[in-house]
Amino acid sequence: MSLIYTEIILLTVQYSVNVATARIAVRMASMDEGNKDAIYGSFKYSDGSEYIGEWDSNGQRHGVGQLTTPDGSVYSGQFKLGLCSGLGVLVFSDGARYEGTFSEGWFHGPGAFWRSDGMRYEGEFRGGRIWGQGLVTFSDESNGFPRHEGYFQDCRFMRRAKSGDAIQRAQKVALMARALCDQH
């Protein structure tokens, strides 16, 4: 498999992430105090999004909760100051899925991303993009030839390198994110 083909696949991953709103931003809406309580509750936004979970004293999503967007994508996990931050699972309406860490609404840190066709990337993310050590696994469970393991930058495979530690971290964090969501 050529480097150009790999770049196209990874750009497709990035396109899927962008189209399905990998960055779930704070929805600016006036909060009707009757729709939520100070600790736990739900709120339906004017755009059709709905949040069920914990709130801070300022009326922002903060703690553990679930946000469903109008397109059917669902984020379950930790929020901080209204944004997805910490461990979480984001299931897109097309079946793609991300499990791992978020920072200020972006995929950031160790995690795993599955496209709807079964291809996955396990490794490091930065600012919503594949960036750092990781491994691509195609839908047939192969890793390409030569193996697509190593350093990625801005969703592009840059160079081969053993990335076992980063891959194991990503798998562990994905498992922790699923466990957190299963508890709530």
Side-chain angles (χ1 to χ4, degrees):
M1 188 167 297
S2 73
L3 181 59
I4 292 172
Y5 184 69
T6 303
E7 286 180 22
I8 291 169
I9 289 171
L10 292 176
L11 289 173
T12 303
V13 170
Q14 178 59 34
Y15 177 76
S16 298
V17 169
N18 284 341
V19 168
T21 51
R23 183 168 197 222
I24 299 177
V26 175
R27 304 250 192 257
M28 302 309 279
S30 58
M31 303 289 289
D32 175 3
E33 288 301 314
N35 287 345
K36 69 162 190 68
D37 59 42
I39 306 280
Y40 186 87
S42 65
F43 185 79
K44 189 157 190 140
Y45 297 90
S46 60
D47 70 353
S49 297
E50 184 174 13
Y51 174 74
I52 301 169
E54 298 172 342
W55 302 84
D56 67 12
S57 60
N58 295 321
Q60 288 188 321
R61 299 180 296 244
H62 194 85
V64 178
Q66 179 175 303
L67 178 65
T68 304
T69 63
D71 74 347
S73 297
V74 178
Y75 170 79
S76 300
Q78 297 173 320
F79 288 83
K80 183 177 179 183
L81 302 174
L83 294 172
C84 306
S85 286
L87 293 174
V89 174
L90 178 57
V91 180
F92 297 96
S93 57
D94 70 352
R97 174 183 192 94
Y98 173 79
E99 300 173 347
T101 56
F102 288 78
S103 179
E104 298 180 1
W106 295 102
F107 302 169
H108 195 87
F113 179 81
W114 289 262
R115 286 191 341 184
S116 57
D117 67 2
M119 190 190 97
R120 75 179 177 270
Y121 169 82
E122 297 164 299
E124 299 168 329
F125 293 80
R126 185 186 322 167
R129 308 203 36 113
I130 294 171
W131 202 302
Q133 299 287 319
L135 172 68
V136 171
T137 304
F138 298 97
S139 57
D140 65 359
E141 292 300 313
S142 73
N143 301 110
F145 185 78
R147 186 175 169 95
H148 287 77
E149 175 182 4
Y151 185 75
F152 295 80
Q153 183 175 342
D154 200 20
C155 299
R156 290 185 180 89
F157 184 61
M158 302 303 287
R159 64 181 173 273
R160 286 176 194 45
K162 294 291 181 188
S163 303
D165 289 344
I167 296 163
Q168 285 181 340
R169 240 185 340 272
Q171 292 169 342
K172 181 179 179 180
V173 167
L175 180 63
M176 290 168 47
R178 280 194 307 275
L180 173 72
C181 295
D182 290 344
Q183 290 175 1
H184 290 85

